[in-house]
Amino acid sequence: MSIAKASHKAAFSEGMTVFITTETIKEKAIIIEKKDKMRGSTKLSPIYKIKTLNGLVRWIPESNIQLYEETCTAPPAPAQPLVHPWPKLSLMTPLREILFEEKRQMQTYTEPVFSVSADEIFNMFFEYGREIKPHCAEEIKEATLGLKELFLFTTHTRALYPEERPHYTKHLYPQGELAILKAYGLPHILRMILVLPEIHSKLELSNDLSAYILDYVKAFIEFLEDNYTKMIQR
C-alpha cells in the first residue's frame, strides 16, 4: 500500500477510494460526486461528495483529500506445511454477552428463529467489502464463500450445544448447506470464531495461506463488531 499526498494536479474522480484528512482524523472514503464551487468572482474550486466507511456522506474541498492506492492481496499458493498456529480470537464484550445469554437459555432450549440468518450475515460482509474494495470483488466473494465453508465445518464438528444436535442431525443436515446457513444466526457465527483456532490445523493449510485466511477472519470480526446490532434477534 502506498499513500501520496494530493497536489493541485491530482485527478480525483467518482468511484475513487481516497483518504479524507482533517486536523484530527484521517479516514478512508469513496468519492460519489464532484462539482466546481465558485470562489471569488472567477475562480472555480472543486469540491467532492464522499462516503466514509461508516456511511457518513458529506461534501469536502479538494485540499482535504489524499490519494489512496491499494492492490488486492492475492491468495498465495500452498507451499509448505503449517507450522504457526492461529492466535486466540477474542470478541468485544457485547458479543460475548450474546453468547453468555444464549448459554443460559439452553436450560429451556427451543429452536430459535433468527431475524437475520448466518447466510444473510455473510452476504452482508461481502457487500460491505465490495463497497470498500470494488476492484477486489472476486477475491472478497471467494473469501466469503470460504467463511461459509468454515461455518459449516465448525457447526458440524464443534460449535453446537448438545441440546441443538438432534434437530441439526434429523432436520437440517439432510436438507443441505443452505438450510443450515439459513437456520442459524449471529450466535452460531460467534461460536465459529471462538473455535477456529482449535480446528485450523485440520484444514492442512500452508503458513502463507493460513495467514491470508486469518486476515479475512479478523476483518470479518471487525465487521461484526461494527454491525452486530443489525443482526441480533428482534
Side-chain angles (χ1 to χ4, degrees):
M1 180 189 302
S2 63
I3 304 168
K5 189 172 183 178
S7 69
H8 66 283
K9 296 181 180 180
F12 299 116
S13 59
E14 295 175 3
M16 284 185 65
T17 300
V18 295
F19 270 118
I20 306 305
T21 61
T22 66
E23 293 182 356
T24 58
I25 64 170
K26 183 175 185 177
E27 59 183 333
K28 193 159 59 172
I30 296 175
I31 295 177
I32 301 175
E33 184 181 346
K34 173 186 176 182
K35 68 180 181 180
D36 292 323
K37 183 177 181 180
M38 182 68 70
R39 293 186 181 276
S41 58
T42 59
K43 186 177 180 181
L44 292 176
S45 179
I47 59 173
Y48 298 84
K49 186 178 184 180
I50 58 93
K51 182 178 181 181
T52 69
L53 302 189
N54 293 326
L56 180 64
V57 177
R58 64 180 185 270
W59 288 92
I60 62 168
E62 189 176 51
S63 58
N64 290 111
I65 300 179
Q66 289 184 2
L67 291 174
Y68 178 91
E69 298 176 2
E70 184 178 77
T71 58
C72 301
T73 303
Q80 55 185 334
L82 179 65
V83 176
H84 305 298
W86 279 0
K88 181 179 179 180
L89 299 173
S90 60
L91 300 172
M92 63 188 298
T93 299
L95 298 183
R96 294 200 304 270
E97 290 177 349
I98 290 173
L99 291 177
F100 292 151
E101 178 60 25
E102 183 191 46
K103 188 173 183 179
R104 286 192 291 267
Q105 293 178 359
M106 282 295 156
Q107 296 178 356
T108 56
Y109 178 75
T110 57
E111 289 298 326
V113 178
F114 295 97
S115 58
V116 182
S117 69
D119 189 61
E120 291 173 301
I121 292 172
F122 287 122
N123 292 339
M124 288 165 62
F125 175 68
F126 166 68
E127 294 296 337
Y128 170 82
R130 185 172 64 172
E131 181 177 353
I132 297 174
K133 296 182 180 180
H135 58 298
C136 296
E138 285 302 313
E139 177 188 328
I140 297 167
K141 180 179 179 181
E142 289 299 317
T144 303
L145 291 174
L147 288 171
K148 288 185 179 183
E149 291 176 3
L150 287 173
F151 176 82
L152 292 166
F153 179 78
T154 55
T155 299
H156 188 69
T157 59
R158 290 281 287 104
L160 292 182
Y161 286 108
E163 293 86 350
E164 298 172 293
R165 183 64 60 179
H167 180 75
Y168 170 85
T169 303
K170 184 177 180 180
H171 298 287
L172 296 180
Y173 185 72
Q175 295 182 57
E177 297 176 350
L178 187 58
I180 298 168
L181 286 163
K182 288 184 175 296
Y184 296 134
L186 177 60
H188 297 81
I189 289 178
L190 299 179
R191 292 188 223 166
M192 172 197 77
I193 291 170
L194 294 181
V195 302
L196 279 179
E198 300 176 23
I199 61 92
H200 86 282
S201 60
K202 298 181 175 65
L203 304 178
E204 299 182 352
L205 305 173
S206 71
N207 282 330
D208 288 343
L209 186 56
S210 177
Y212 170 77
I213 295 173
L214 181 59
D215 285 342
Y216 265 104
V217 170
K218 290 179 177 179
F220 184 54
I221 293 173
E222 292 179 3
F223 167 76
L224 295 177
E225 291 176 343
D226 291 340
N227 297 277
Y228 74 93
T229 56
K230 304 173 185 176
M231 308 168 188
I232 57 178
Q233 192 168 342
R234 294 188 290 270

PDB file of all heavy atoms in Angstrom, residues 47-75:
ATOM      1  N   ILE A  47     -15.079  20.629  -5.336  1.00  0.00           N
ATOM      2  CA  ILE A  47     -15.436  20.009  -4.065  1.00  0.00           C
ATOM      3  C   ILE A  47     -16.003  18.629  -4.375  1.00  0.00           C
ATOM      4  O   ILE A  47     -16.474  18.361  -5.482  1.00  0.00           O
ATOM      5  CB  ILE A  47     -16.446  20.845  -3.255  1.00  0.00           C
ATOM      6  CG1 ILE A  47     -17.739  21.051  -4.046  1.00  0.00           C
ATOM      7  CG2 ILE A  47     -15.835  22.161  -2.835  1.00  0.00           C
ATOM      8  CD1 ILE A  47     -18.826  21.727  -3.241  1.00  0.00           C
ATOM      9  N   TYR A  48     -15.961  17.746  -3.373  1.00  0.00           N
ATOM     10  CA  TYR A  48     -16.301  16.346  -3.611  1.00  0.00           C
ATOM     11  C   TYR A  48     -17.293  15.846  -2.567  1.00  0.00           C
ATOM     12  O   TYR A  48     -17.147  16.118  -1.373  1.00  0.00           O
ATOM     13  CB  TYR A  48     -15.041  15.480  -3.565  1.00  0.00           C
ATOM     14  CG  TYR A  48     -14.039  15.830  -4.630  1.00  0.00           C
ATOM     15  CD1 TYR A  48     -13.123  16.866  -4.430  1.00  0.00           C
ATOM     16  CD2 TYR A  48     -14.009  15.147  -5.839  1.00  0.00           C
ATOM     17  CE1 TYR A  48     -12.205  17.206  -5.410  1.00  0.00           C
ATOM     18  CE2 TYR A  48     -13.090  15.477  -6.823  1.00  0.00           C
ATOM     19  CZ  TYR A  48     -12.191  16.510  -6.608  1.00  0.00           C
ATOM     20  OH  TYR A  48     -11.284  16.844  -7.582  1.00  0.00           O
ATOM     21  N   LYS A  49     -18.268  15.115  -3.051  1.00  0.00           N
ATOM     22  CA  LYS A  49     -19.200  14.419  -2.162  1.00  0.00           C
ATOM     23  C   LYS A  49     -18.628  13.032  -1.906  1.00  0.00           C
ATOM     24  O   LYS A  49     -18.394  12.262  -2.835  1.00  0.00           O
ATOM     25  CB  LYS A  49     -20.574  14.312  -2.815  1.00  0.00           C
ATOM     26  CG  LYS A  49     -21.662  13.740  -1.914  1.00  0.00           C
ATOM     27  CD  LYS A  49     -23.002  13.735  -2.656  1.00  0.00           C
ATOM     28  CE  LYS A  49     -24.134  13.265  -1.764  1.00  0.00           C
ATOM     29  NZ  LYS A  49     -25.430  13.253  -2.499  1.00  0.00           N
ATOM     30  N   ILE A  50     -18.369  12.720  -0.632  1.00  0.00           N
ATOM     31  CA  ILE A  50     -17.721  11.453  -0.297  1.00  0.00           C
ATOM     32  C   ILE A  50     -18.583  10.667   0.691  1.00  0.00           C
ATOM     33  O   ILE A  50     -19.435  11.225   1.387  1.00  0.00           O
ATOM     34  CB  ILE A  50     -16.307  11.674   0.285  1.00  0.00           C
ATOM     35  CG1 ILE A  50     -16.355  12.563   1.545  1.00  0.00           C
ATOM     36  CG2 ILE A  50     -15.401  12.297  -0.765  1.00  0.00           C
ATOM     37  CD1 ILE A  50     -16.459  11.838   2.840  1.00  0.00           C
ATOM     38  N   LYS A  51     -18.323   9.358   0.730  1.00  0.00           N
ATOM     39  CA  LYS A  51     -18.983   8.479   1.694  1.00  0.00           C
ATOM     40  C   LYS A  51     -17.908   7.717   2.446  1.00  0.00           C
ATOM     41  O   LYS A  51     -17.088   7.029   1.844  1.00  0.00           O
ATOM     42  CB  LYS A  51     -19.921   7.496   0.991  1.00  0.00           C
ATOM     43  CG  LYS A  51     -20.681   6.576   1.947  1.00  0.00           C
ATOM     44  CD  LYS A  51     -21.636   5.664   1.185  1.00  0.00           C
ATOM     45  CE  LYS A  51     -22.413   4.767   2.136  1.00  0.00           C
ATOM     46  NZ  LYS A  51     -23.333   3.852   1.399  1.00  0.00           N
ATOM     47  N   THR A  52     -17.890   7.843   3.772  1.00  0.00           N
ATOM     48  CA  THR A  52     -16.901   7.154   4.583  1.00  0.00           C
ATOM     49  C   THR A  52     -17.314   5.712   4.818  1.00  0.00           C
ATOM     50  O   THR A  52     -18.432   5.303   4.502  1.00  0.00           O
ATOM     51  CB  THR A  52     -16.717   7.852   5.937  1.00  0.00           C
ATOM     52  OG1 THR A  52     -17.910   7.672   6.714  1.00  0.00           O
ATOM     53  CG2 THR A  52     -16.450   9.335   5.759  1.00  0.00           C
ATOM     54  N   LEU A  53     -16.409   4.920   5.406  1.00  0.00           N
ATOM     55  CA  LEU A  53     -16.705   3.518   5.669  1.00  0.00           C
ATOM     56  C   LEU A  53     -17.828   3.356   6.686  1.00  0.00           C
ATOM     57  O   LEU A  53     -18.466   2.303   6.748  1.00  0.00           O
ATOM     58  CB  LEU A  53     -15.442   2.805   6.176  1.00  0.00           C
ATOM     59  CG  LEU A  53     -14.226   2.860   5.242  1.00  0.00           C
ATOM     60  CD1 LEU A  53     -13.139   1.945   5.751  1.00  0.00           C
ATOM     61  CD2 LEU A  53     -14.617   2.472   3.826  1.00  0.00           C
ATOM     62  N   ASN A  54     -18.055   4.387   7.506  1.00  0.00           N
ATOM     63  CA  ASN A  54     -19.148   4.344   8.478  1.00  0.00           C
ATOM     64  C   ASN A  54     -20.476   4.784   7.888  1.00  0.00           C
ATOM     65  O   ASN A  54     -21.480   4.859   8.591  1.00  0.00           O
ATOM     66  CB  ASN A  54     -18.812   5.226   9.683  1.00  0.00           C
ATOM     67  CG  ASN A  54     -17.649   4.682  10.482  1.00  0.00           C
ATOM     68  OD1 ASN A  54     -17.484   3.471  10.583  1.00  0.00           O
ATOM     69  ND2 ASN A  54     -16.842   5.564  11.052  1.00  0.00           N
ATOM     70  N   GLY A  55     -20.473   5.117   6.581  1.00  0.00           N
ATOM     71  CA  GLY A  55     -21.706   5.502   5.919  1.00  0.00           C
ATOM     72  C   GLY A  55     -21.998   6.990   5.927  1.00  0.00           C
ATOM     73  O   GLY A  55     -23.028   7.427   5.423  1.00  0.00           O
ATOM     74  N   LEU A  56     -21.088   7.799   6.500  1.00  0.00           N
ATOM     75  CA  LEU A  56     -21.304   9.243   6.555  1.00  0.00           C
ATOM     76  C   LEU A  56     -21.059   9.859   5.178  1.00  0.00           C
ATOM     77  O   LEU A  56     -20.039   9.599   4.543  1.00  0.00           O
ATOM     78  CB  LEU A  56     -20.361   9.870   7.584  1.00  0.00           C
ATOM     79  CG  LEU A  56     -20.463  11.389   7.761  1.00  0.00           C
ATOM     80  CD1 LEU A  56     -21.835  11.757   8.309  1.00  0.00           C
ATOM     81  CD2 LEU A  56     -19.370  11.893   8.695  1.00  0.00           C
ATOM     82  N   VAL A  57     -22.002  10.680   4.723  1.00  0.00           N
ATOM     83  CA  VAL A  57     -21.891  11.345   3.421  1.00  0.00           C
ATOM     84  C   VAL A  57     -21.779  12.845   3.645  1.00  0.00           C
ATOM     85  O   VAL A  57     -22.577  13.429   4.387  1.00  0.00           O
ATOM     86  CB  VAL A  57     -23.116  11.028   2.533  1.00  0.00           C
ATOM     87  CG1 VAL A  57     -23.029  11.785   1.211  1.00  0.00           C
ATOM     88  CG2 VAL A  57     -23.217   9.526   2.282  1.00  0.00           C
ATOM     89  N   ARG A  58     -20.780  13.470   3.011  1.00  0.00           N
ATOM     90  CA  ARG A  58     -20.630  14.917   3.149  1.00  0.00           C
ATOM     91  C   ARG A  58     -19.795  15.464   1.992  1.00  0.00           C
ATOM     92  O   ARG A  58     -19.145  14.717   1.271  1.00  0.00           O
ATOM     93  CB  ARG A  58     -19.977  15.272   4.483  1.00  0.00           C
ATOM     94  CG  ARG A  58     -18.551  14.787   4.672  1.00  0.00           C
ATOM     95  CD  ARG A  58     -18.035  15.225   6.043  1.00  0.00           C
ATOM     96  NE  ARG A  58     -16.636  14.910   6.258  1.00  0.00           N
ATOM     97  CZ  ARG A  58     -16.193  13.780   6.782  1.00  0.00           C
ATOM     98  NH1 ARG A  58     -17.062  12.851   7.143  1.00  0.00           N
ATOM     99  NH2 ARG A  58     -14.900  13.568   6.955  1.00  0.00           N
ATOM    100  N   TRP A  59     -19.830  16.793   1.849  1.00  0.00           N
ATOM    101  CA  TRP A  59     -19.027  17.477   0.845  1.00  0.00           C
ATOM    102  C   TRP A  59     -17.747  17.987   1.500  1.00  0.00           C
ATOM    103  O   TRP A  59     -17.789  18.511   2.611  1.00  0.00           O
ATOM    104  CB  TRP A  59     -19.792  18.659   0.250  1.00  0.00           C
ATOM    105  CG  TRP A  59     -20.919  18.264  -0.653  1.00  0.00           C
ATOM    106  CD1 TRP A  59     -22.217  18.081  -0.302  1.00  0.00           C
ATOM    107  CD2 TRP A  59     -20.831  18.000  -2.051  1.00  0.00           C
ATOM    108  NE1 TRP A  59     -22.961  17.713  -1.395  1.00  0.00           N
ATOM    109  CE2 TRP A  59     -22.133  17.662  -2.488  1.00  0.00           C
ATOM    110  CE3 TRP A  59     -19.791  18.016  -2.976  1.00  0.00           C
ATOM    111  CZ2 TRP A  59     -22.412  17.343  -3.812  1.00  0.00           C
ATOM    112  CZ3 TRP A  59     -20.071  17.697  -4.299  1.00  0.00           C
ATOM    113  CH2 TRP A  59     -21.363  17.365  -4.708  1.00  0.00           C
ATOM    114  N   ILE A  60     -16.617  17.837   0.811  1.00  0.00           N
ATOM    115  CA  ILE A  60     -15.347  18.332   1.339  1.00  0.00           C
ATOM    116  C   ILE A  60     -14.548  18.964   0.208  1.00  0.00           C
ATOM    117  O   ILE A  60     -14.708  18.605  -0.964  1.00  0.00           O
ATOM    118  CB  ILE A  60     -14.513  17.215   1.997  1.00  0.00           C
ATOM    119  CG1 ILE A  60     -14.158  16.148   0.972  1.00  0.00           C
ATOM    120  CG2 ILE A  60     -15.234  16.608   3.182  1.00  0.00           C
ATOM    121  CD1 ILE A  60     -13.115  15.183   1.479  1.00  0.00           C
ATOM    122  N   PRO A  61     -13.642  19.896   0.528  1.00  0.00           N
ATOM    123  CA  PRO A  61     -12.795  20.504  -0.502  1.00  0.00           C
ATOM    124  C   PRO A  61     -11.663  19.567  -0.909  1.00  0.00           C
ATOM    125  O   PRO A  61     -11.302  18.635  -0.178  1.00  0.00           O
ATOM    126  CB  PRO A  61     -12.249  21.756   0.192  1.00  0.00           C
ATOM    127  CG  PRO A  61     -12.239  21.398   1.641  1.00  0.00           C
ATOM    128  CD  PRO A  61     -13.449  20.527   1.849  1.00  0.00           C
ATOM    129  N   GLU A  62     -11.093  19.832  -2.064  1.00  0.00           N
ATOM    130  CA  GLU A  62     -10.009  19.003  -2.580  1.00  0.00           C
ATOM    131  C   GLU A  62      -8.792  19.015  -1.666  1.00  0.00           C
ATOM    132  O   GLU A  62      -8.039  18.043  -1.596  1.00  0.00           O
ATOM    133  CB  GLU A  62      -9.615  19.482  -3.978  1.00  0.00           C
ATOM    134  CG  GLU A  62      -8.640  18.560  -4.694  1.00  0.00           C
ATOM    135  CD  GLU A  62      -8.364  19.022  -6.106  1.00  0.00           C
ATOM    136  OE1 GLU A  62      -8.031  20.209  -6.280  1.00  0.00           O
ATOM    137  OE2 GLU A  62      -8.497  18.203  -7.026  1.00  0.00           O
ATOM    138  N   SER A  63      -8.610  20.103  -0.924  1.00  0.00           N
ATOM    139  CA  SER A  63      -7.443  20.212  -0.045  1.00  0.00           C
ATOM    140  C   SER A  63      -7.459  19.195   1.085  1.00  0.00           C
ATOM    141  O   SER A  63      -6.431  18.948   1.718  1.00  0.00           O
ATOM    142  CB  SER A  63      -7.363  21.627   0.542  1.00  0.00           C
ATOM    143  OG  SER A  63      -8.547  21.936   1.264  1.00  0.00           O
ATOM    144  N   ASN A  64      -8.623  18.597   1.347  1.00  0.00           N
ATOM    145  CA  ASN A  64      -8.735  17.603   2.414  1.00  0.00           C
ATOM    146  C   ASN A  64      -8.711  16.166   1.899  1.00  0.00           C
ATOM    147  O   ASN A  64      -9.054  15.232   2.628  1.00  0.00           O
ATOM    148  CB  ASN A  64     -10.015  17.816   3.214  1.00  0.00           C
ATOM    149  CG  ASN A  64      -9.973  19.064   4.062  1.00  0.00           C
ATOM    150  OD1 ASN A  64     -10.680  20.024   3.788  1.00  0.00           O
ATOM    151  ND2 ASN A  64      -9.125  19.083   5.077  1.00  0.00           N
ATOM    152  N   ILE A  65      -8.290  15.989   0.647  1.00  0.00           N
ATOM    153  CA  ILE A  65      -8.257  14.653   0.051  1.00  0.00           C
ATOM    154  C   ILE A  65      -6.823  14.257  -0.252  1.00  0.00           C
ATOM    155  O   ILE A  65      -6.027  15.061  -0.737  1.00  0.00           O
ATOM    156  CB  ILE A  65      -9.088  14.604  -1.249  1.00  0.00           C
ATOM    157  CG1 ILE A  65     -10.546  14.958  -0.971  1.00  0.00           C
ATOM    158  CG2 ILE A  65      -9.004  13.223  -1.886  1.00  0.00           C
ATOM    159  CD1 ILE A  65     -11.411  14.946  -2.212  1.00  0.00           C
ATOM    160  N   GLN A  66      -6.494  13.011   0.051  1.00  0.00           N
ATOM    161  CA  GLN A  66      -5.206  12.436  -0.320  1.00  0.00           C
ATOM    162  C   GLN A  66      -5.434  11.212  -1.189  1.00  0.00           C
ATOM    163  O   GLN A  66      -6.424  10.496  -1.031  1.00  0.00           O
ATOM    164  CB  GLN A  66      -4.402  12.026   0.917  1.00  0.00           C
ATOM    165  CG  GLN A  66      -3.877  13.190   1.730  1.00  0.00           C
ATOM    166  CD  GLN A  66      -3.004  12.715   2.874  1.00  0.00           C
ATOM    167  OE1 GLN A  66      -2.770  11.525   3.016  1.00  0.00           O
ATOM    168  NE2 GLN A  66      -2.534  13.636   3.687  1.00  0.00           N
ATOM    169  N   LEU A  67      -4.514  10.980  -2.103  1.00  0.00           N
ATOM    170  CA  LEU A  67      -4.592   9.796  -2.944  1.00  0.00           C
ATOM    171  C   LEU A  67      -4.435   8.540  -2.108  1.00  0.00           C
ATOM    172  O   LEU A  67      -3.671   8.508  -1.147  1.00  0.00           O
ATOM    173  CB  LEU A  67      -3.497   9.831  -4.015  1.00  0.00           C
ATOM    174  CG  LEU A  67      -3.642  10.888  -5.113  1.00  0.00           C
ATOM    175  CD1 LEU A  67      -2.408  10.871  -5.996  1.00  0.00           C
ATOM    176  CD2 LEU A  67      -4.890  10.623  -5.945  1.00  0.00           C
ATOM    177  N   TYR A  68      -5.161   7.527  -2.497  1.00  0.00           N
ATOM    178  CA  TYR A  68      -5.060   6.228  -1.830  1.00  0.00           C
ATOM    179  C   TYR A  68      -4.898   5.174  -2.907  1.00  0.00           C
ATOM    180  O   TYR A  68      -5.743   5.046  -3.788  1.00  0.00           O
ATOM    181  CB  TYR A  68      -6.323   5.941  -1.016  1.00  0.00           C
ATOM    182  CG  TYR A  68      -6.328   4.601  -0.323  1.00  0.00           C
ATOM    183  CD1 TYR A  68      -5.851   4.470   0.972  1.00  0.00           C
ATOM    184  CD2 TYR A  68      -6.802   3.469  -0.972  1.00  0.00           C
ATOM    185  CE1 TYR A  68      -5.853   3.244   1.606  1.00  0.00           C
ATOM    186  CE2 TYR A  68      -6.801   2.237  -0.343  1.00  0.00           C
ATOM    187  CZ  TYR A  68      -6.332   2.134   0.946  1.00  0.00           C
ATOM    188  OH  TYR A  68      -6.334   0.911   1.566  1.00  0.00           O
ATOM    189  N   GLU A  69      -3.799   4.436  -2.843  1.00  0.00           N
ATOM    190  CA  GLU A  69      -3.543   3.391  -3.826  1.00  0.00           C
ATOM    191  C   GLU A  69      -3.415   2.073  -3.099  1.00  0.00           C
ATOM    192  O   GLU A  69      -2.655   1.942  -2.149  1.00  0.00           O
ATOM    193  CB  GLU A  69      -2.258   3.671  -4.604  1.00  0.00           C
ATOM    194  CG  GLU A  69      -2.325   4.962  -5.410  1.00  0.00           C
ATOM    195  CD  GLU A  69      -1.013   5.265  -6.089  1.00  0.00           C
ATOM    196  OE1 GLU A  69      -0.092   4.438  -5.952  1.00  0.00           O
ATOM    197  OE2 GLU A  69      -0.911   6.312  -6.735  1.00  0.00           O
ATOM    198  N   GLU A  70      -4.165   1.089  -3.549  1.00  0.00           N
ATOM    199  CA  GLU A  70      -4.141  -0.217  -2.893  1.00  0.00           C
ATOM    200  C   GLU A  70      -4.356  -1.304  -3.922  1.00  0.00           C
ATOM    201  O   GLU A  70      -5.145  -1.155  -4.839  1.00  0.00           O
ATOM    202  CB  GLU A  70      -5.232  -0.294  -1.829  1.00  0.00           C
ATOM    203  CG  GLU A  70      -5.209  -1.577  -1.040  1.00  0.00           C
ATOM    204  CD  GLU A  70      -6.280  -1.581   0.029  1.00  0.00           C
ATOM    205  OE1 GLU A  70      -7.448  -1.798  -0.329  1.00  0.00           O
ATOM    206  OE2 GLU A  70      -5.955  -1.389   1.200  1.00  0.00           O
ATOM    207  N   THR A  71      -3.658  -2.378  -3.788  1.00  0.00           N
ATOM    208  CA  THR A  71      -3.861  -3.533  -4.654  1.00  0.00           C
ATOM    209  C   THR A  71      -4.431  -4.666  -3.843  1.00  0.00           C
ATOM    210  O   THR A  71      -4.259  -4.736  -2.628  1.00  0.00           O
ATOM    211  CB  THR A  71      -2.533  -3.988  -5.284  1.00  0.00           C
ATOM    212  OG1 THR A  71      -1.609  -4.296  -4.232  1.00  0.00           O
ATOM    213  CG2 THR A  71      -1.951  -2.901  -6.161  1.00  0.00           C
ATOM    214  N   CYS A  72      -5.125  -5.553  -4.510  1.00  0.00           N
ATOM    215  CA  CYS A  72      -5.684  -6.712  -3.827  1.00  0.00           C
ATOM    216  C   CYS A  72      -4.559  -7.601  -3.316  1.00  0.00           C
ATOM    217  O   CYS A  72      -3.492  -7.681  -3.907  1.00  0.00           O
ATOM    218  CB  CYS A  72      -6.557  -7.525  -4.787  1.00  0.00           C
ATOM    219  SG  CYS A  72      -7.925  -6.585  -5.486  1.00  0.00           S
ATOM    220  N   THR A  73      -4.826  -8.266  -2.224  1.00  0.00           N
ATOM    221  CA  THR A  73      -3.878  -9.242  -1.702  1.00  0.00           C
ATOM    222  C   THR A  73      -4.235 -10.593  -2.285  1.00  0.00           C
ATOM    223  O   THR A  73      -5.203 -11.221  -1.871  1.00  0.00           O
ATOM    224  CB  THR A  73      -3.949  -9.303  -0.168  1.00  0.00           C
ATOM    225  OG1 THR A  73      -3.711  -7.995   0.345  1.00  0.00           O
ATOM    226  CG2 THR A  73      -2.917 -10.267   0.384  1.00  0.00           C
ATOM    227  N   ALA A  74      -3.489 -11.033  -3.263  1.00  0.00           N
ATOM    228  CA  ALA A  74      -3.802 -12.299  -3.915  1.00  0.00           C
ATOM    229  C   ALA A  74      -3.472 -13.453  -2.989  1.00  0.00           C
ATOM    230  O   ALA A  74      -2.439 -13.450  -2.328  1.00  0.00           O
ATOM    231  CB  ALA A  74      -3.006 -12.427  -5.210  1.00  0.00           C
ATOM    232  N   PRO A  75      -4.341 -14.454  -2.900  1.00  0.00           N
ATOM    233  CA  PRO A  75      -4.062 -15.583  -2.019  1.00  0.00           C
ATOM    234  C   PRO A  75      -2.855 -16.362  -2.496  1.00  0.00           C
ATOM    235  O   PRO A  75      -2.774 -16.735  -3.661  1.00  0.00           O
ATOM    236  CB  PRO A  75      -5.339 -16.431  -2.130  1.00  0.00           C
ATOM    237  CG  PRO A  75      -5.974 -16.008  -3.406  1.00  0.00           C
ATOM    238  CD  PRO A  75      -5.603 -14.587  -3.615  1.00  0.00           C
TER     239      PRO A  75
END
